[in-house]
Amino acid sequence: MRSLLLFGIMMLLFVPGAWSQPTCPEEGSRQDVLSTQATKYLWSLDPRKVTPSRRLALQKVYTPCGFRLLWSQDGVVSTQARDIMSEMRLSPRKGLRPSDYGVNWWGCRAVATEIPCSDRYQELAQFDVDLTAAVTRFAGDLRYGRVPPVIPKAGYASVVDDNFLAEFVRRLAITDNVLALVSSLEPAYPGYLRTEAALSRMLTQRLDQTETYLPTTVLNLKQGQTGEIAGLLNQRLSELSYLPSPLMIPIRDEFDGQTTIALTRFQKDHGLDPTGAVNTETERQLNISIEKRIEQLALTLERWRWLPQQFNTGPIVVNIPEFRLRAYDNAGNVQLSMAVVVGNAANRLSPVLQAELHRIILHPYWNVPADITQLEMVPAIRRDPRFLVRRGFELVGRDQRIAHPSKTQIIHLLRSGTLRIRQMPGPENALGDIKFEFPNSFDVYMHGTSQASLFAHTRRDLSHGCIRLEAPDRLAVWVLQQQKTSWDRERLKMELSVPATEVVTLDKDIPVLFVYGTGFAAEDGSLRFLNDVYGIDAQLETGLARISAQREHDDRIPWSPLAIAPSP
């Protein structure tokens, strides 16, 4: 038996669910001669002589259906094939790249298969498999994102179900509504849909207009000034939809009150201090191209696809570059929003992660991590021997007992790891009054803070990696109200009035996500574009470019001339 046939038998024996009847195109009363020859050709292929994407298509899609063609009948390309090819051409609206799906080369081959011709069975079969490979890739990108399982998705689980994709492609080949079936692959979250719609609008905007770039002399502008530079500033704000289109109101050559209002809105939407004046960072943001903004939206859509299609309950989401937390209901609507402080961009990055919140601690101790002890605490003790006492710290031994070494021994015992430092609950405690725990490999959590002044900063990457909350009591009430218990704000206030540590274990875990999105459509409809504070966007762009280059290379590999179909 041929290796491919053996593989099909093994697949039936060992692939979960393979015993169930797969969805296959109806064969009808007969197969035309061309399709029959193409089927025999596909059956004859050696999977070792084709590219990985073609091999996957042959093994997962065609084997269960007896190698029947999906995308043509009597040598004519089907309506479904044309519809899905159109969707792949329009994939930039979804933040994807048409070149990832062979758009540059399979269009001409589709035309070449229009006329039934008995000596074209190899070309017809090859086109069918190539289109199936492209559609499988497209469907996988929409469902799971482009980053494959072998590349870590920054803390998220990444499982691509090839059996699901194969069944989806077979259904797509016979559906009456290609667009609806494709849309079912995408996240249904309101934020994703808003951002996708904004991306589509921005792509149209890019085609309809040129862009104005501001000279550095715009930094000298003051409210009330007139002239060419003021006109350029108003023109740019109009292009970015912060002032009316010149088709409605002529562009003014004055930096007036309307300019100040528009500039302040622009600054708020871009994570800047809303001064209403053009400083260096505002000028830089104004000069970022629409093309770059399109890339930011596309990267956010990519990351959204890494998440589960749905959660058992509404999640808590921290968007790191926005310095903001949101809590959602089951439908994806925001129920709570607050400012947060995240890890320092220089050396204490907050991780991107997915975890489950399972308990809240009132009046928590802060167990100081070993690296903070060595890098910060030991030098502080050397400068001020009473530092620990003044800040409410105590020393704990390996036996978990409180230790009272002499002042001359403290440094040595901390350096050797014999003792560790923890901070007692109280007004000086770095975690504030409430700590939110969710087990994760990064050993981070969310908590209050004794430094409320940090929230006055616009850019808030100021922590050691954990997330500091502007209003931990509000989040605690929201979390506890999702439980079976009868917690409310008054009960929380009463429990916090007792200066004792209390552990509240949740009866229903709540998903917690730390995400990284620098471009998105907010709940109020505004577009937000933020600084890539951790440089993660740049890393993802590089990774995606590498994936696209590999895909284009694979798609260009010709079919093996050794694969010859038997005579009909």
Side-chain angles (χ1 to χ4, degrees), residues 225-246:
Q225 288 184 317
T226 60
E228 179 185 1
I229 304 302
L232 289 175
L233 174 59
N234 287 330
Q235 174 70 31
R236 184 56 175 163
L237 289 169
S238 173
E239 292 169 2
L240 299 175
S241 301
Y242 288 91
L243 284 175
S245 164

Side-chain angles (χ1 to χ4, degrees), residues 202-509:
M202 191 163 283
L203 286 167
T204 302
Q205 178 184 357
R206 179 186 62 180
L207 298 175
D208 290 345
Q209 69 179 37
T210 58
E211 294 194 66
T212 299
Y213 292 97
L214 303 175
T216 55
T217 50
V218 73
L219 297 171
N220 301 324
L221 278 179
K222 306 293 183 186
Q223 184 169 338
Q225 288 184 317
T226 60
E228 179 185 1
I229 304 302
L232 289 175
L233 174 59
N234 287 330
Q235 174 70 31
R236 184 56 175 163
L237 289 169
S238 173
E239 292 169 2
L240 299 175
S241 301
Y242 288 91
L243 284 175
S245 164
L247 297 177
M248 300 173 59
I249 300 176
I251 299 297
R252 305 175 315 282
D253 289 338
E254 180 183 0
F255 190 149
D256 57 11
Q258 287 186 331
T259 305
T260 301
I261 293 171
L263 197 57
T264 301
R265 282 181 50 225
F266 174 88
Q267 290 168 326
K268 288 180 178 178
D269 289 347
H270 291 73
L272 306 174
D273 290 325
T275 62
V278 183
N279 54 26
T280 301
E281 183 58 22
T282 300
E283 181 258 339
R284 188 184 73 82
Q285 293 281 353
L286 284 166
N287 279 327
I288 292 178
S289 68
I290 291 177
E291 190 68 38
K292 177 62 177 177
R293 298 310 191 190
I294 287 171
E295 291 175 6
Q296 287 182 263
L297 295 178
L299 292 178
T300 298
L301 294 178
E302 169 71 15
R303 292 185 174 106
W304 227 308
R305 297 179 190 117
W306 299 349
L307 304 181
Q309 287 282 324
Q310 60 184 8
F311 296 97
N312 293 329
T313 188
I316 298 168
V317 180
V318 173
N319 186 17
I320 294 170
E322 190 188 9
F323 315 114
R324 181 151 292 273
L325 173 147
R326 294 176 178 83
Y328 294 86
D329 63 17
N330 291 342
N333 300 307
V334 176
Q335 301 296 296
L336 180 68
S337 177
M338 70 180 67
V340 299
V341 173
V342 305
N344 188 278
N347 54 13
R348 297 283 186 176
L349 278 61
S350 293
V352 173
L353 63 78
Q354 181 179 341
E356 297 286 331
L357 176 65
H358 80 291
R359 66 178 188 174
I360 297 175
I361 302 177
L362 308 182
H363 297 301
Y365 282 86
W366 178 37
N367 294 295
V368 181
D371 59 337
I372 296 178
T373 295
Q374 302 302 330
L375 295 175
E376 300 181 26
M377 297 293 181
V378 168
I381 295 168
R382 281 196 174 124
R383 291 191 300 269
D384 178 6
R386 290 191 54 76
F387 170 80
L388 295 178
V389 174
R390 288 192 304 100
R391 299 292 297 274
F393 289 104
E394 58 188 11
L395 298 169
V396 181
R398 291 172 178 168
D399 58 1
Q400 307 305 314
R401 295 181 179 180
I402 298 174
H404 300 281
S406 66
K407 294 179 181 179
T408 57
Q409 292 179 308
I410 289 177
I411 299 296
H412 170 71
L413 294 173
L414 290 174
R415 285 288 191 199
S416 65
T418 303
L419 295 181
R420 61 181 178 85
I421 300 174
R422 73 178 183 185
Q423 190 174 31
M424 294 177 286
E428 291 288 336
N429 189 282
L431 307 188
D433 289 333
I434 308 176
K435 177 184 178 183
F436 299 80
E437 286 193 346
F438 36 92
N440 62 87
S441 60
F442 304 99
D443 196 27
V444 295
Y445 41 86
M446 299 185 297
H447 59 85
T449 180
S450 57
Q451 296 176 287
S453 61
L454 296 178
F455 295 100
H457 296 266
T458 301
R459 174 168 172 166
R460 295 187 294 275
D461 57 319
L462 304 167
S463 82
H464 288 94
C466 291
I467 304 299
R468 303 185 190 185
L469 305 171
E470 179 184 34
D473 55 333
R474 290 174 55 210
L475 181 60
V477 170
W478 182 86
V479 167
L480 293 169
Q481 287 178 340
Q482 313 306 306
Q483 311 299 307
K484 297 177 182 178
T485 54
S486 57
W487 282 80
D488 57 19
R489 186 173 297 278
E490 288 305 313
R491 179 178 174 185
L492 178 65
K493 184 177 179 181
M494 180 184 68
E495 297 289 345
L496 287 173
S497 68
V498 179
T501 300
E502 180 181 356
V503 177
V504 182
T505 301
L506 307 184
D507 53 57
K508 181 175 68 173
D509 288 353

Side-chain angles (χ1 to χ4, degrees), residues 98-173:
S99 60
D100 278 9
Y101 316 111
V103 167
N104 296 331
W105 54 266
W106 47 239
C108 59
R109 292 178 57 188
V111 174
T113 59
E114 282 297 320
I115 303 173
C117 182
S118 60
D119 63 356
R120 256 191 202 147
Y121 65 86
Q122 288 192 26
E123 182 179 4
L124 185 66
Q126 290 170 3
F127 165 74
D128 209 87
V129 173
D130 280 340
L131 182 54
T132 294
V135 174
T136 303
R137 189 185 289 162
F138 179 58
D141 289 351
L142 284 177
R143 176 82 173 194
Y144 305 106
R146 285 165 284 177
V147 179
V150 294
I151 300 177
K153 290 184 178 178
Y156 293 125
S158 54
V159 179
V160 174
D161 186 345
D162 289 333
N163 293 316
F164 167 82
L165 292 177
E167 178 65 13
F168 177 86
V169 172
R170 289 191 294 264
R171 290 185 181 278
L172 196 67

